[in-house]
Structures are given as structure tokens and as C-alpha cells.
Amino acid sequence: MLDRRFHRAAIARLLKSFQAVAILGARQIGKTTLARDVAADFGGRARMFDLETDRDLRLLQQPEAVLAPLRGLVVIDEVQRLPSLFPPLRPLLDRRPLPARFLLLGSASPAVTARGSESLAGRLAYHELDGFGLDEVGPDRWRRLWLRGGFPRSFTARSDAASSEWRQAFVKTYLERDVLDAGLGMPPAELRRFWQMLAHWHGQRWNASEFARAFGTSESTVRRWLENLEGFYAIRLLRPWHASIAKRQVKTPKVYIRDCGMLHALLSVTSAAELRERPQVGASFEGFVIEQAIHASGAQPHEAYHWATPQGAELDLLLVRGRRRVGIEVKCTEAPVLTASMQIAMKDLALQKLWVVHQGSLRFTMRAGIEALPVNQLQELRGALASGEGH
Ligand SMILES: Nc1ncnc2c1ncn2[C@@H]1O[C@H](COP(=O)(O)OP(=O)(O)OP(=O)(O)O)[C@@H](O)[C@H]1O
Ligand SMILES: [Mg+2]
């Protein structure tokens, strides 16, 4: 069992300042396991409900009666099954002194299913659980993490083939079922094809008209499908950053299959050797580093952007917090070289630092402020967004 110490500490911290914390993340990413660990830290004073079971679903039809007497920590798993639970939680969270705090777990973003969660504004904090990070698996295992992705069962499988089989099954058993169950108006036959097209589109700018044409439907429909998949943590939409400079800048988001292991499953890539031969290898590495950089820096989704100009200057990832602006450029090579695009990004975006992440083992300064960073040293980005930080 890999220790997810960083997540555990973050949740424990949030539980001190909020009456309720929601752990949100993809199916099978490890939410229930993490919640059990957090509950263990509460000693015997934790009670778990699982809304995937009929018994607990029925019990929580009367939330005040069932929950009011409990003390310590109350964990409610699969909250997306019962959005009507949110409003009655509010008076329970407003009791003084507070007899119990709540930990809610869900596999879809509030935008998709947890309507009603706004009734808990100010009382409920969100913690997004992502796949394993390099800090958790050990930075020298980056090649395995890249090929298999960060889902615990996939990463820890006994072989690459077993890992790949798990991911293939995961897409069918969980993802497709959940997306379809949510009744978001996506025709089942189209879902698989939509996935596949997104996998081939990985790392490119979203193009609603191409997708609409391919599926014989409207642009607003394919955009809704895209946002649904984002809501299930299946894809990442990297929004464009717009700097206040005279130049024109690209205004479309970039699309990534969030977990690189899932990308490889959709592309039927099962081994490192196969991955190297594919035309998508560069885009795959780019997506991998982007997720890991976001994980390592602790950036929130609204702090991560891409940037590009129609003239061809671009930056793979821009992390923004307050006045901090840190760039990450990804190179699928062991010997990165300084490019004009990097220097333009540095200047136009007024970056404090530009990291050029690569597959080699050398860390060196390419030019003032621009530093080549081996992928297995990505943990350097921890603290990169803290204000007053030197790098
Ligand atoms: N830290 C970990 N180390 C190793 N394996 C893990 C870890 N966390 C979870 N797993 C394994 O991954 C699988 C999924 O974990 P878990 O059930 O906690 O995920 P979940 O997010 O609650 O999934 P679901 O959304 O389907 O309920 C389980 O088989 C679990 O044993
Ligand atoms: Mg679970």
C-alpha cells in the first residue's frame, strides 16, 4: 500500500478549519482507501456510510435523525448518488459546539452531479484527489508512472500487460457506465468513439467544429460532452492564458486525457517500446509532465493554463498564483535546447522562472531564469507558487 501522506495531511488540515470536507476524484483513484486512513486517525470515533449500498441509501433518506447523534467523524461515500443530502446537512454543520465533522466522497465534480452543494457554502472545502504522483511512487519510477498512469491498481499491477488489461476494463466498467448513468444525453454508441477521438486529439487545441462534424451534431452538443468528461475527471481542459500585451493570443483550451495510462489504453499502447514508436509519444509525455507538475506544485485547476500566439510562440503550462508566474515547457528528449519560443514566453508573460522538463539526467541553466530540469526532479516545483520564493 502506497502511503498518500501529503493528501492525508492536507485533508486533516482542512478538517480543522471546515465543518465538512469533500474528497473528489475519478473512480478508482483511491478515495475510499484514503478516507479509511483519515478515519483511522480519528480513532474509534468515525462512522462510514456508503450510498452505493441500499441500506445506507435508505438510512440517509432521514439524514437529521440518523446523523445528528453521531460524534467524531462521519464519512459519507458516493455522495453523488444522493444530491438531496446537501441542504439537510447545513443545520448539522452549524451546531455549536460541533459534535461531528463530515467527510464526503464523490467521483464527479459538483458541476456534474452535486447540485445543492452550494447550500453548504463556507462550510464545505474541496480536496481533489489525483492519481499517484512522482513523490508518492518515487521519482526514479517515472517511466513506469508514465506508461501505466497513476490509478493505484494500474500502477501496482504485477506486469505492464496486467496493468493495461485493468485499464481497458476500467474504461468499460466504470467510466462509460458512470457517464451514461448520469443521463447527460450522450448516446452510448458515440461515447466510445468520442473517447477515441479525444485520445488522438490529446495535447491539441479543442476544435468544436471538427468534433461536431465527425459526430454529425452541433458544436454546443460536443462541447457539453467534453465538459461532462471533465466533470468525471477523465480529461483535463487547459484554459488559455491571456496576457495584457499588444499581441494576439490563442483563445482555445487544450484537451488532454487526464491520466496518461488511460490515454495509452485508449490508443492500445501496452508497452514502453510501443509507446516510443507512436507518433503520440511527445504529446503523451507532455500530458504526463503537465499532470505531475500540477500535482507537485499543488496548483488548483484555475491556476493552470496554456499560452500561445498565432505566430507560433507557446508555453505548455503556465502556473499562476497572485503575482507568481511559473512556466513549464516539456521536451520529449534527453537534450533540450533553448528555443526562441521559450524566450518570447519568458518575456511576454514576465515569468519568474521557466522550467524545461526533459527525460535526461542533467539539470542546468539554459539562460537566466530558464532552467533544464530532469523529469525525476519535478518535486522542485513544490513551493514554486509560494509567494516570495526565490525560484
Ligand atoms: N495508496 C494505495 N496504494 C495501493 N493501492 C491502493 C491505494 N489506494 C487505493 N488502492 C487500491 O485501488 C483500488 C481503488 O481504491 P478505492 O476503492 O479506495 O478507490 P475509490 O476512489 O474509492 O474508487 P470508487 O470511486 O470506485 O469507489 C482498490 O483496489 C485499492 O486497494
Ligand atoms: Mg470508493
Side-chain angles (χ1 to χ4, degrees):
M1 206 40 107
L2 274 162
D3 185 7
R4 311 207 73 184
R5 173 170 348 111
F6 166 78
H7 285 290
R8 237 163 106 169
I11 291 162
R13 232 180 1 256
L14 287 173
L15 278 171
K16 289 210 172 84
S17 10
F18 289 86
Q19 296 97 310
V21 175
I23 305 181
L24 300 180
R27 275 270 184 188
Q28 290 288 298
I29 206 78
K31 300 177 295 293
T32 303
T33 306
L34 182 66
R36 283 207 193 97
D37 289 345
V38 173
D41 297 340
F42 271 74
R45 296 187 315 135
R47 173 73 168 84
M48 294 188 77
F49 294 90
D50 181 358
L51 294 178
E52 202 112 274
T53 67
D54 287 341
R55 189 199 62 182
D56 289 354
L57 193 58
R58 240 177 304 121
L59 270 175
L60 291 186
Q61 302 294 335
Q62 318 122 65
E64 289 94 341
V66 173
L67 299 173
L70 301 175
R71 300 284 175 270
L73 184 71
V74 178
V75 183
I76 305 177
D77 205 344
E78 309 285 353
V79 275
Q80 76 279 357
R81 301 281 308 264
L82 192 62
S84 64
L85 184 65
F86 287 96
L89 277 184
R90 181 174 170 151
L92 294 173
L93 300 182
D94 287 344
R95 293 174 291 173
R96 291 291 176 276
L98 188 65
R101 290 177 194 265
F102 287 76
L103 190 59
L104 311 174
L105 317 184
S107 51
S109 75
V112 178
T113 41
R115 277 178 289 275
S117 60
E118 62 277 10
S119 57
L120 303 183
R123 302 158 180 85
L124 173 67
Y126 291 98
H127 180 85
E128 208 175 89
L129 183 64
D130 54 1
F132 285 155
L134 283 167
D135 57 331
E136 292 166 314
V137 304
D140 292 328
R141 294 213 275 174
W142 70 268
R143 283 185 191 276
R144 181 199 269 214
L145 192 60
W146 178 24
L147 177 69
R148 296 184 176 191
F151 281 85
R153 295 276 308 272
S154 174
F155 182 81
T156 59
R158 62 183 190 290
S159 66
D160 287 346
S163 165
S164 177
E165 271 163 34
W166 183 84
R167 277 174 276 132
Q168 297 282 357
F170 171 84
V171 173
K172 283 201 196 70
T173 358
Y174 287 99
L175 265 180
E176 300 195 344
R177 199 194 65 195
D178 283 358
V179 174
L180 297 174
D181 278 0
L184 302 162
M186 203 158 178
E190 304 291 49
L191 178 55
R192 177 44 76 102
R193 205 157 68 81
F194 191 60
W195 273 129
Q196 226 98 41
M197 185 162 167
L198 284 173
H200 284 92
W201 209 264
H202 179 89
Q204 295 183 56
R205 292 179 203 144
W206 168 245
N207 184 327
S209 63
E210 282 233 17
F211 275 81
R213 201 170 325 119
F215 286 85
T217 181
S218 69
E219 291 188 15
S220 64
T221 298
V222 287
R223 194 169 301 118
R224 200 180 69 237
W225 293 355
L226 185 78
E227 282 163 6
N228 288 341
L229 294 186
E230 185 187 32
F232 282 98
Y233 303 101
I235 60 165
R236 181 178 295 277
L237 287 179
L238 214 48
R239 265 87 189 177
W241 176 258
H242 196 270
S244 43
I245 49 173
K247 272 180 212 176
R248 282 182 51 216
Q249 295 157 74
V250 168
K251 294 201 184 93
T252 8
K254 280 175 87 173
V255 187
Y256 294 87
I257 302 285
R258 201 164 158 153
D259 179 78
C260 47
M262 226 45 81
L263 169 72
H264 299 150
L266 291 166
L267 295 174
S268 302
V269 168
T270 54
S271 69
E274 267 170 42
L275 178 57
R276 271 195 301 276
E277 300 301 316
R278 289 300 189 93
Q280 293 95 349
V281 63
S284 164
F285 187 64
E286 181 182 312
F288 169 61
V289 172
I290 287 173
E291 286 307 310
Q292 290 300 322
I294 290 173
H295 174 98
S297 65
Q300 300 297 307
H302 67 272
E303 297 173 325
Y305 300 87
H306 83 91
W307 179 78
T309 70
Q311 286 74 36
E314 54 184 345
L315 181 65
D316 294 330
L317 177 66
L318 170 67
L319 298 175
V320 178
R321 181 179 295 165
R323 294 227 197 113
R324 295 289 302 165
R325 286 181 192 184
V326 176
I328 285 119
E329 184 63 19
V330 186
K331 296 292 168 204
C332 190
T333 168
E334 297 196 353
V337 292
L338 187 70
T339 63
S341 170
M342 292 173 195
Q343 305 191 63
I344 294 169
M346 190 77 194
K347 179 164 159 287
D348 283 359
L349 299 170
L351 302 176
Q352 275 99 26
K353 182 95 186 180
L354 172 56
W355 297 101
V356 180
V357 180
H358 63 94
Q359 299 186 340
S361 56
L362 289 180
R363 178 171 172 179
F364 57 95
T365 300
M366 304 173 87
R367 207 205 144 140
I370 307 184
E371 191 162 335
L373 185 74
V375 59
N376 63 3
Q377 292 182 32
L378 265 175
Q379 69 272 19
E380 275 303 312
L381 291 177
R382 174 165 300 177
L385 289 178
S387 52
E389 181 72 22
H391 58 258

